Amino acid sequence: MKGNRLHKLFFSVGLFALLITLVVGAKGQSQEVQINLITSGGGATAAWRPIVEKFNKEFAGQYNVDYTTVEHQALREKLMLQFITKTPIYDVFSVLNTWAQEVIAYLEPMNELMEKYNFGDVHKVFGGLIDDYIDDGKILALPLRAGTMLLFYRNDWMLDAGLQPPRSLEEIVQVARKLTRDIDGDGKIDRYGMALKLESKSWTIETFSDFFMPHGGWFLTEDLTEASPSLKGPAAKKTFEMMRTLWAEQLIPDPLGWTYHDAVAAFQTGRLGLADASSVRAALIEDPNVSEAAGKMGYAELPRAQLGSHKPSVYAWSWGFAINADSDPAKKEAAYRFVTYMAQHDNQKWMALNRANGPTVLSVLEDPDYLRLNPASAAIMSTYQKGTRVHTPVPQAADIQQVVHEEIQAMMVGYITIEETCQNIYDRINQIMRQ
Amino acid sequence: MGPYVWFLPAFLVIAFVLIYPMVWSLSLSFHQWRVIYATPPVYVGLQNYVQLLGDSFFQEVVLRTITLVIIVVTLQFLVGFSLALLLHSDIKGRYVYVVLFTIPMFLTPSIAALMWKQILQKEWGVLNYVLSLIGFQEVGWLSDPSITFTTIVMLLVWQQSPFFMLFLLAGLQSIPVELTEVAKLDGATSLQIFRHITLPWLIPLLSIAILFRTMFTLRTFDVVYGLWRSSGPVNRGMVLGVYLYDKFKSTWQLGLSSSIAYILLLLTILLGIVFAIITFKRGKI
């Protein structure tokens, strides 16, 4: 009997202790706001994750960021599905400026919070990069990682051949001719002078834009309502002529099977002399542990000229962090604090110097430490200063990119002429914009 | 009513997981809904179906898909049956070969595609290297539009022939030994035994295997997308599964992509009915 009473006593005390723990724990938890973050993986995660962990440490007990990463395509799908079903699983997510317009209706404007927390002039902080995330005066995301397209080249090979970085489309072909080599004489090209990536629509649009846009071309009129006549003009035609000549003379590897991964690997293994590539890829090629081209590369701006009616510009991409409009207000404020933390000068500088992140904050882009460490920095700054923009900043971007991809591939295999390519792209984009 | 109440939980789960989504997506196919505009769906009746069926590109895609099914299933059967006959004979280490031959079937199709992407790379892939050693020119397996269809067929046959092999091997091993012994005693040749005993015995199994493979091949997507992350060079790999994905996940046209899904479903049901009629007529089921 006595044993029974003891058992009951111990049980009651234990139950009471458990209840107290649960209540106190829940209370503690309820004070900490949970922010669910999702971004794409790869180099972006390598840059962002340490700062997310730093944020969690600094704001422990107040905020906690739970970080999920997925592959880029999967990110768009997950975001769209949560918007369609109106289930705000993720409070903060990364958006790419090239498809930001597709999701812009679902993003929370930050203007009020920026005023509350005295953020200041966004253009003084981010320069023109912020414009891709402003819609009708509403600031919908902050850019945290950016890059622009440059000409990457093997500086040592160029010097050996007495060449300068090409400054026109014709010079690109001439340089490619001199750099392409069959080194061992077996009839197979061991070293390509140039590469073009046309495997899927995201690569095709990037490749074409890299030469078309800096020559005054663009896909749409400035009011974004219809196809730009520059698609039928000299900027487009000369770009296509360059592409066809490079392929016809076997100066490039098969472009229909080529991606940016192939270009990076080819530079790393000493099989490629020149290519257009994103500035953040320089870190992969300058890594002496994996690349024989480390320390031997040069970086130049893409060739520009005024052939079309638009201001010559270069495609610049950026990842921004946006807040879900369907999240509850407490989470939105916490999310804002987190997003602006990621954009702080010190954090952006750390990511740029230690994780090869493409900085988005002007003060970091002008920082002497950054300029000293990044061999491509001069070309990047010059490109930003001369003007960058997104190639297709409309909700119909995916349709337009598909059209451009199909027509350019057909042109490269000789199914259609250059003139037909220009006309088809122009007509089909107009059809898309009129739907 | 009493006993049927016990089915209620299972029925509710099926209704929630299967019936409701099917009804919802069917109704969506009669609407136009472009999610990127953040506007609600608009009822358009049969417009999506009319638009699709009247689109010459869609007709080309359907034709390409049906051609793919016919060629792939035929080749899978021939390769699978050959392997089954080989493994049915008294060879040493037979069961090791069974395991080795079935490995491709157990690979996730997208992983298999990624693996083959490296092997088939034109300039520096293994296959072209091996071909060059025996005097062949390098082939644009992934970049030449005229080879794209062949590449897809090759991969599907490599990966799914073991399905036929396993089915038919099981069938071959279930043929009563007495039948073939009696036939031999009566003076039947191997060919006659194959024609009058083996094949008729295998037909029911073969029918099921062909039906399954037809259904799965109609929905081909992951192999194509794994290789190209698109529909291949100049859309030469655009089959119904890829077309559906393109309309749904690339351009977010939910109404149109629901219509495509239901056309694909109808095609599958049609083929299944035709198949069932032929098999019923033979009295084999």
Side-chain angles (χ1 to χ4, degrees):
Chain A
M1 286 297 282
K2 204 175 177 180
N4 259 346
R5 275 192 209 138
L6 265 173
H7 278 136
K8 280 181 186 171
L9 180 65
F10 279 132
F11 178 75
S12 306
V13 168
L15 190 63
F16 184 70
L18 180 64
L19 279 169
I20 294 289
T21 310
L22 285 170
V23 167
V24 169
K27 202 175 173 204
Q29 279 291 101
S30 71
Q31 284 175 348
E32 187 179 74
V33 178
Q34 176 82 3
I35 304 164
N36 294 315
L37 166 69
I38 185 169
T39 75
S40 71
T45 307
W48 293 332
R49 193 175 284 282
I51 306 300
V52 171
E53 286 164 6
K54 190 173 158 230
F55 176 85
N56 284 343
K57 274 195 192 132
E58 258 181 62
F59 291 90
Q62 195 180 354
Y63 307 125
N64 183 62
V65 176
D66 185 46
Y67 191 179
T68 305
T69 59
V70 291
E71 188 263 338
H72 176 197
Q73 270 302 116
L75 173 68
R76 274 179 77 223
E77 293 163 14
K78 276 191 180 303
L79 294 182
M80 274 309 208
L81 286 169
Q82 84 165 348
F83 297 146
I84 293 165
T85 55
K86 291 200 180 301
T87 46
I89 301 165
Y90 299 103
D91 307 297
V92 180
F93 35 81
S94 57
V95 291
L96 189 62
N97 63 342
T98 53
W99 49 263
Q101 288 292 325
E102 292 177 16
V103 300
I104 220 146
Y106 304 98
L107 308 183
E108 175 71 13
M110 296 187 200
N111 303 57
E112 273 181 34
L113 286 165
M114 282 180 142
E115 217 171 295
K116 181 180 173 182
Y117 287 97
N118 297 318
F119 187 88
D121 184 348
V122 285
H123 285 96
K124 283 199 174 137
V125 177
F126 300 108
L129 281 173
I130 191 71
D131 291 330
D132 294 334
Y133 304 105
I134 296 179
D135 182 58
D136 205 23
K138 292 179 275 188
I139 300 164
L140 296 163
L142 298 186
L144 296 180
R145 175 178 168 84
T148 187
M149 305 305 290
L150 302 173
L151 265 185
F152 284 37
Y153 58 91
R154 279 293 295 262
N155 195 35
D156 52 336
W157 296 351
M158 299 278 275
L159 289 171
D160 286 345
L163 295 167
Q164 295 283 333
R167 303 188 102 182
S168 69
L169 300 178
E170 292 79 14
E171 283 184 24
I172 286 175
V173 176
Q174 286 162 19
V175 166
R177 282 182 187 133
K178 294 222 169 125
L179 294 184
T180 301
R181 297 259 181 96
D182 169 12
I183 295 170
D184 53 13
D186 63 350
K188 214 168 162 275
I189 295 171
D190 304 294
R191 191 171 92 181
Y192 283 98
M194 180 62 183
L196 296 174
K197 44 192 194 304
L198 305 176
E199 190 228 29
S200 61
K201 66 177 184 237
S202 50
W203 303 133
T204 304
I205 196 83
E206 190 177 276
T207 299
F208 178 56
S209 300
D210 287 346
F211 303 104
F212 173 56
M213 284 170 55
H215 285 81
W218 208 38
F219 297 91
L220 299 164
T221 50
E222 293 296 333
D223 61 2
L224 304 180
T225 55
E226 50 185 9
S228 166
S230 66
L231 286 165
K232 297 188 290 183
K237 287 180 181 169
K238 281 195 176 292
T239 301
F240 290 142
E241 276 164 18
M242 176 199 74
M243 291 168 72
R244 282 277 285 262
T245 305
L246 286 169
W247 182 223
E249 295 185 24
Q250 300 284 292
L251 304 173
I252 56 174
D254 196 332
L256 267 63
W258 201 254
T259 69
Y260 101 79
H261 305 277
D262 296 312
V264 168
F267 273 124
Q268 289 172 332
T269 52
R271 297 178 200 229
L272 182 60
L274 176 73
D276 57 312
S278 172
S279 52
V280 292
R281 308 297 170 221
L284 295 168
I285 300 166
E286 294 288 355
D287 182 352
N289 296 317
V290 298
S291 172
E292 69 164 70
K296 300 173 189 170
M297 296 293 295
Y299 305 93
E301 292 177 50
L302 287 160
R304 286 183 194 239
Q306 189 72 60
L307 293 180
S309 55
H310 300 273
K311 183 186 169 209
S313 59
V314 172
Y315 164 52
W317 58 268
S318 68
W319 282 102
F321 272 20
I323 301 171
N324 193 338
D326 287 327
S327 290
D328 64 58
K331 285 204 169 202
K332 283 181 191 174
E333 186 148 344
Y336 171 81
R337 300 288 302 276
F338 166 65
V339 171
T340 48
Y341 181 86
M342 296 290 289
Q344 282 175 6
H345 172 94
D346 290 344
N347 293 327
Q348 280 278 310
K349 183 173 173 177
W350 188 92
M351 288 192 282
L353 297 182
N354 297 286
R355 293 286 188 271
N357 189 51
T360 56
V361 170
L362 291 178
S363 55
V364 175
L365 282 163
E366 293 158 350
D367 190 300
D369 293 333
Y370 173 72
L371 292 169
R372 192 172 43 245
L373 256 180
N374 186 340
S377 55
I380 295 170
M381 278 303 287
S382 181
T383 302
Y384 280 150
Q385 281 160 357
K386 288 183 184 170
T388 61
R389 72 194 312 189
V390 175
H391 38 62
T392 44
V394 287
Q396 303 94 327
D399 292 312
I400 293 172
Q401 290 167 24
Q402 182 64 28
V403 157
V404 171
H405 171 66
E406 285 173 10
E407 297 297 337
I408 289 179
Q409 278 205 336
M411 178 203 73
M412 290 298 281
V413 296
Y415 288 177
I416 51 177
T417 64
I418 288 175
E419 285 70 28
E420 284 169 335
T421 307
C422 294
Q423 191 65 51
N424 289 350
I425 292 175
Y426 179 80
D427 290 341
R428 290 179 71 184
I429 289 178
N430 270 334
Q431 271 174 15
I432 289 165
M433 298 308 291
R434 281 169 201 155
Q435 277 172 8
Chain B
M1 190 64 186
Y4 294 103
V5 170
W6 297 105
F7 286 112
L8 197 58
F11 177 74
L12 285 173
V13 169
I14 290 169
F16 182 69
V17 167
L18 196 64
I19 298 172
Y20 173 68
M22 283 194 74
V23 170
W24 186 77
S25 65
L26 180 62
S27 98
L28 201 57
S29 71
F30 300 117
H31 291 74
Q32 198 174 68
W33 191 14
R34 195 80 194 265
V35 182
I36 54 173
Y37 296 126
T39 49
V42 173
Y43 178 74
V44 291
L46 291 172
Q47 187 181 311
N48 287 330
Y49 291 98
V50 170
Q51 180 188 329
L52 280 170
L53 295 171
D55 178 9
S56 58
F57 183 72
F58 183 73
Q59 291 164 11
E60 192 187 310
V61 170
V62 171
L63 191 63
R64 186 179 293 119
T65 309
I66 292 171
T67 310
L68 182 75
V69 168
I70 293 168
I71 293 174
V72 162
V73 174
T74 306
L75 287 175
Q76 284 174 351
F77 160 66
L78 290 171
V79 171
F81 198 18
S82 308
L83 289 174
L85 286 171
L86 184 71
L87 293 170
H88 183 58
S89 62
D90 206 11
I91 56 169
K92 228 177 174 181
R94 183 167 67 168
Y95 294 107
V96 174
Y97 291 121
V98 170
V99 170
L100 285 175
F101 287 146
T102 45
I103 285 174
M105 201 174 78
F106 294 118
L107 285 175
T108 311
S110 50
I111 300 295
L114 284 175
M115 190 181 84
W116 277 99
K117 196 177 165 82
Q118 303 307 311
I119 294 170
L120 297 174
Q121 211 271 352
K122 185 183 176 187
E123 283 80 20
W124 303 309
V126 169
L127 185 57
N128 274 345
Y129 173 70
V130 168
L131 287 174
S132 71
L133 291 177
I134 52 177
F136 283 96
Q137 289 262 358
E138 58 188 21
V139 178
W141 300 104
L142 300 176
S143 52
D144 186 344
S146 60
I147 307 244
T148 302
F149 193 81
T150 307
T151 304
I152 298 170
V153 167
M154 214 165 72
L155 229 76
L156 287 172
V157 170
W158 169 81
Q159 193 172 27
Q160 296 300 337
S161 296
F163 180 88
F164 274 101
M165 182 194 80
L166 289 175
F167 256 76
L168 298 174
L169 183 60
L172 286 168
Q173 289 178 339
S174 71
I175 299 174
V177 174
E178 305 80 53
L179 278 179
T180 48
E181 280 178 357
V182 162
K184 278 180 191 166
L185 281 172
D186 286 344
T189 62
S190 300
L191 191 63
Q192 284 172 321
I193 291 172
F194 181 80
R195 204 178 142 206
H196 296 290
I197 296 174
T198 310
L199 265 184
W201 190 270
L202 290 178
I203 280 178
L205 272 175
L206 192 58
S207 311
I208 295 167
I210 290 175
L211 182 62
F212 268 96
R213 288 314 320 153
T214 301
M215 278 166 39
F216 284 114
T217 309
L218 266 174
R219 295 185 295 198
T220 297
F221 162 75
D222 28 26
V223 160
V224 177
Y225 225 74
L227 285 174
W228 289 290
R229 291 190 64 173
S230 68
S231 51
V234 202
N235 285 330
R236 288 297 184 266
M238 185 69 91
V239 290
L240 271 175
V242 178
Y243 191 71
L244 170 60
Y245 180 89
D246 195 51
K247 290 298 169 205
F248 177 40
K249 291 277 177 79
S250 289
T251 57
W252 297 99
Q253 297 180 65
L254 298 197
L256 193 69
S257 41
S258 289
S259 316
I260 298 167
Y262 273 91
I263 290 174
L264 183 55
L265 176 66
L266 281 170
L267 208 56
T268 311
I269 291 171
L270 212 70
L271 280 169
I273 290 171
V274 165
F275 200 76
I277 289 170
I278 293 171
T279 320
F280 267 120
K281 271 192 173 169
R282 279 171 161 262
K284 296 295 177 189
I285 289 182

